[in-house]
Amino acid sequence: MSVAPGKPQSELPWAELEPGTQPQRLLAWTPEQWPLAEGWRATVDEFLASSEGQRLADFLRERIAAGAAIYPPHPLRALQLTPLASVHAVVLGQDPYHGPGQAEGLAFSVAEGVKHPPSLRNIFKELGTTPQSGSLVEWSRSGVLLLNACLTVEDGQPASHARKGWEALTDRLLALVAATASPCVYLLWGAHAQAKAELIRAHAAQYGREVLLLQTNHPSPLSASRPPVPFLGSGCFVAAREWLAQRDIQGVF
């Protein structure tokens, strides 16, 4: 893949990225230059100026300098595709897929042409659809914020960037959404996502926002069919659509 002369790497559109591209060559740590949809910039900039943001930036630079393969090339892509004012649903994942060419910066989503991971297959099964593409870009464009708690990962090493600082940013983003988006459905799958329920409830209550929290097991095959609240058969997408439709919000999911 070639880069147009004079074009900053941080502004490369996702459409130019190919499966198998070495992401560490593209992940220039200059997120203040990345285009973001309306509503997110102040929160991101505030985080970047904080001590937590600086520590995360230093960590990522060190890993890139050491030759680590870091995915995805655009960690803030969810914030590029979904303006804050458009958010009417949130799906919270844990961290990006850790295989080459898989992660595209959206929770549970994979790039075009990539085989569907097991959790994503179960999501489509519960949704009652079998699309060829595993990319959830259209969800993002219809008002679904597909946010991972940790926004980068190293090749073959799940959770390798957990507790390095990303969670401080994504908690701020969740708090911002809870204080702003209304009506909004939160699909919290598994214990990791459900740990954010109180943060969401507290900020939504403080600002008088109308929210619905739908909590099930994670869609992973290890838990999707097990108690206490199996993901498969939960009807979470039907419940989300019906609740939003009652509030004149259509076309989500």
Side-chain angles (χ1 to χ4, degrees), residues 173-217:
L173 294 171
L174 280 174
L176 175 64
V177 172
T180 307
S182 183
C184 189
V185 176
Y186 296 81
L187 295 159
L188 305 179
W189 301 329
H192 190 272
Q194 290 162 16
K196 307 300 182 182
E198 187 51 41
L199 179 153
I200 294 165
R201 287 196 188 98
H203 283 82
Q206 181 180 350
Y207 291 92
R209 306 308 181 194
E210 193 174 14
V211 301
L212 174 66
L213 274 64
L214 297 173
Q215 304 184 57
T216 73
N217 287 6

Side-chain angles (χ1 to χ4, degrees), residues 132-184:
Q132 289 187 340
S133 173
S135 175
L136 302 179
V137 164
E138 290 308 311
W139 284 18
S140 293
R141 291 175 175 157
S142 68
V144 182
L145 182 66
L146 296 167
L147 186 68
N148 281 315
C150 179
L151 299 183
T152 54
V153 71
E154 293 187 22
D155 181 60
Q157 300 181 55
S160 50
H161 288 191
R163 296 177 295 279
K164 300 298 185 182
W166 280 124
E167 294 87 349
L169 172 60
T170 53
D171 277 359
R172 293 185 191 194
L173 294 171
L174 280 174
L176 175 64
V177 172
T180 307
S182 183
C184 189

Side-chain angles (χ1 to χ4, degrees), residues 97-156:
Y97 295 119
H98 52 84
Q102 285 184 306
E104 62 169 355
L106 306 172
F108 294 101
S109 181
V110 292
E112 292 280 351
V114 174
K115 182 180 178 181
H116 300 181
S119 292
L120 184 59
R121 290 200 298 270
N122 279 337
I123 289 171
F124 288 144
K125 185 175 181 179
E126 179 61 23
L127 195 61
T129 184
T130 54
Q132 289 187 340
S133 173
S135 175
L136 302 179
V137 164
E138 290 308 311
W139 284 18
S140 293
R141 291 175 175 157
S142 68
V144 182
L145 182 66
L146 296 167
L147 186 68
N148 281 315
C150 179
L151 299 183
T152 54
V153 71
E154 293 187 22
D155 181 60

